Amino acid sequence: MEKIIQQLNNSRHVLVASHVNPDGDAVGSMLAMGLALGALNKHVTIYNESPIPAVYRFLAGVQQIVNHLAPDAIFDTALILDCGELERIGDVAPRIANIPVIINIDHHVTNSLFGHLQLIDQEACATTEILHRIIQQLGVPLTREIAASIYTGILTDTGSFRFSNTNQSAFAICDQMVRYGVNPHTIAQHVYGHYSLGRIKLLNLALDSIEVSDNGKVSLMTLTQAMLLKTRTRPEDIDGMINYARSIQDVKIAALIQEKCNGNRYTNEFSAPYHVSLRSDGSVDVAEIATDFGGGGHSSAAGFGIEGTLAEVKSRILGLADKL
Ligand code: 5GP
Ligand code: MN
């Protein structure tokens, strides 16, 4: 922590980045730090390879996020947030690897410990929980805008305070963020209350696709490109749907198989025709399973890329039930 604070204080141009297909914690993390470093008068570039999902575009500073780095831009520090592997940043990962000081702040158990300075807290409910500490250590006064980003990271990564990572800090920090002007209803409306009709129609197809293993312990949801096309939706619209497959009685592992669009979901190492998301009821460590398949994540939420036919992928997933 001390070294990270020192490095950030001494830096001049910081590149703040997170993983492709960013979720609420990734977006909240990038913006909280972008705004905080801006308040310290640092030159900051916030980078993400993917478009920012519509539901997070209400957050202050979101228009500062770029998906292209000027070839001649020089950064002294890279601040990589909520990202288990450097490669998950996407195509610019090799360029970022050359930045003199790389700071890795994350809460994934499977974090590869890349970079020069790491702050990995697997007990943190969200990366924004860790950044709340960093921002205080930096002495940056909290604003309503920073508070909204921190709150959104915690709200979304804890599944609205329902998942097993929901801890006391989640409530303590969010309580403080509300005192700094965050309105929980407004944020919930932005994040969960403005879905397109297409997204609801896609949910219908997703629910209809659910299969369960013979012993009832593994559930499987499948989303294809054809379904996205039919409902005119984007991969970001799939976020959260896996929770329906997990909520089925007796299910210990829920999986969502997503057909990738043109290698767009996880690029590089993660490139594969399908992306599989895993969720557990808490009794099974899905980060271990995902790691066996070449991916990673948290004990109760993880993922990986896989190649093969849909039938093959399905049978490998349903096969997990034999060991339960
Ligand atoms: P999701 O299933 O929502 O995409 O991801 C669940 C969790 O697993 C997230 O914390 C995410 O970072 C991690 N995860 C998902 N896919 C991959 C992957 O392909 N590789 C790695 N290392 N982690 C992943
Ligand atoms: Mn996270």
Side-chain angles (χ1 to χ4, degrees), residues 11-219:
S11 60
R12 292 173 61 184
H13 190 182
V14 184
L15 176 71
V16 177
S18 187
H19 58 81
V20 292
N21 296 304
D23 54 15
D25 191 26
V27 177
S29 292
M30 291 188 294
L31 293 177
M33 285 315 295
L35 294 171
L37 292 169
L40 291 175
N41 293 317
K42 300 293 174 186
H43 185 187
V44 187
T45 299
I46 314 176
Y47 174 87
N48 201 279
E49 180 171 294
S50 311
I52 303 305
V55 295
Y56 304 125
R57 281 190 219 134
F58 70 98
L59 289 168
V62 77
Q63 61 292 337
Q64 282 178 48
I65 303 177
V66 297
N67 62 3
H68 176 79
L69 295 179
D72 55 349
I74 294 173
F75 306 98
D76 46 46
T77 307
L79 180 58
I80 312 301
L81 307 170
D82 196 46
C83 194
E85 293 87 32
L86 191 62
E87 295 72 28
R88 288 198 75 212
I89 294 173
D91 289 342
V92 301
R95 172 155 177 209
I96 293 179
N98 286 324
I99 294 176
V101 179
I102 298 172
I103 304 174
N104 168 4
I105 301 180
D106 186 28
H107 67 138
H108 291 92
V109 251
T110 54
N111 190 287
S112 67
L113 305 180
F114 66 84
H116 304 96
L117 297 169
Q118 301 93 4
L119 183 56
I120 315 300
D121 181 356
Q122 302 159 3
E123 302 299 313
C125 64
T127 298
T128 61
E129 176 188 330
I130 310 171
L131 301 178
H132 174 259
R133 286 175 235 157
I134 293 268
I135 290 168
Q136 283 180 326
Q137 292 286 320
L138 282 171
V140 174
L142 275 170
T143 59
R144 187 165 57 114
E145 287 73 23
I146 295 177
S149 275
I150 292 175
Y151 183 98
T152 300
I154 294 176
L155 179 76
T156 55
D157 253 28
T158 60
S160 305
F161 311 103
R162 287 173 300 154
F163 298 161
S164 57
N165 58 345
T166 309
N167 55 13
Q168 194 262 329
S169 308
F171 292 101
I173 295 170
C174 288
D175 172 57
Q176 191 194 9
M177 298 306 98
V178 170
R179 281 186 276 122
Y180 276 91
V182 168
N183 183 323
H185 176 66
T186 306
I187 304 240
Q189 276 298 106
H190 280 293
V191 176
Y192 304 118
H194 288 153
Y195 291 158
S196 65
L197 177 61
R199 182 171 179 146
I200 302 302
K201 297 286 184 191
L202 182 68
L203 174 63
N204 188 37
L205 299 178
L207 295 175
D208 204 36
S209 79
I210 294 178
E211 301 166 53
V212 175
S213 64
D214 288 341
N215 64 9
K217 292 180 178 171
V218 173
S219 63

Side-chain angles (χ1 to χ4, degrees), residues 85 88 108 265-266 270 275 277 279 295-298 301-305:
E85 293 87 32
R88 288 198 75 212
H108 291 92
R265 188 156 161 128
Y266 292 129
F270 305 106
H275 181 268
S277 296
R279 299 291 185 271
H298 308 281
F304 58 91

